[in-house]
Amino acid sequence: MKKTTNRRVIILSDLDSGYFEQAVFFIKATVRSSEDVLINEANNIVNEFSKKYAIRKSAARCSKKYVALKITAAISTFVSLFLILYGFFQ
């Protein structure tokens, strides 16, 4: 059987995320900071985490645009070569 102790936690619910409902932070037993300081720290951690992974998300969007551009360029090149060869043999 596991012995449990009372733990202080902060639960952030308004994250404006399409993926997460809540973030839960367990406060160390030795911390004696005010609630405002702890909430600000928790918000900072969530914001830094979001920024870190938002960069990857935007990079994925850029790579999709780049792929679309490459496909368009390839099709344009193929059509141009076809027209040049067609005109050459006429």
Side-chain angles (χ1 to χ4, degrees), residues 19 47-65:
Y19 301 103
N47 289 335
E48 288 299 317
F49 182 84
S50 297
K51 287 178 189 174
K52 179 178 176 182
Y53 291 100
I55 292 170
R56 289 184 180 174
K57 188 176 179 181
S58 65
R61 286 185 197 149
C62 290
S63 66
K64 287 180 183 178
K65 290 179 184 177

Side-chain angles (χ1 to χ4, degrees), residues 50-88:
S50 297
K51 287 178 189 174
K52 179 178 176 182
Y53 291 100
I55 292 170
R56 289 184 180 174
K57 188 176 179 181
S58 65
R61 286 185 197 149
C62 290
S63 66
K64 287 180 183 178
K65 290 179 184 177
Y66 182 67
V67 168
L69 181 64
K70 283 175 46 177
I71 290 171
T72 304
I75 291 171
S76 298
T77 303
F78 176 75
V79 169
S80 298
L81 287 174
F82 177 76
L83 291 174
I84 289 170
L85 291 174
Y86 181 77
F88 182 71

Side-chain angles (χ1 to χ4, degrees), residues 7 15 17-19 21-22 28 33-34 55 57 82 86-87:
R7 302 281 313 251
L15 299 178
S17 171
Y19 301 103
E21 289 181 24
Q22 296 179 337
K28 293 179 180 180
S33 298
S34 70
I55 292 170
K57 188 176 179 181
F82 177 76
Y86 181 77

Side-chain angles (χ1 to χ4, degrees), residues 10-15 21-25 39 42-43 46:
I10 291 177
I11 301 172
L12 301 178
S13 298
D14 299 325
L15 299 178
E21 289 181 24
Q22 296 179 337
V24 180
F25 294 89
I39 290 172
N43 278 318
V46 169

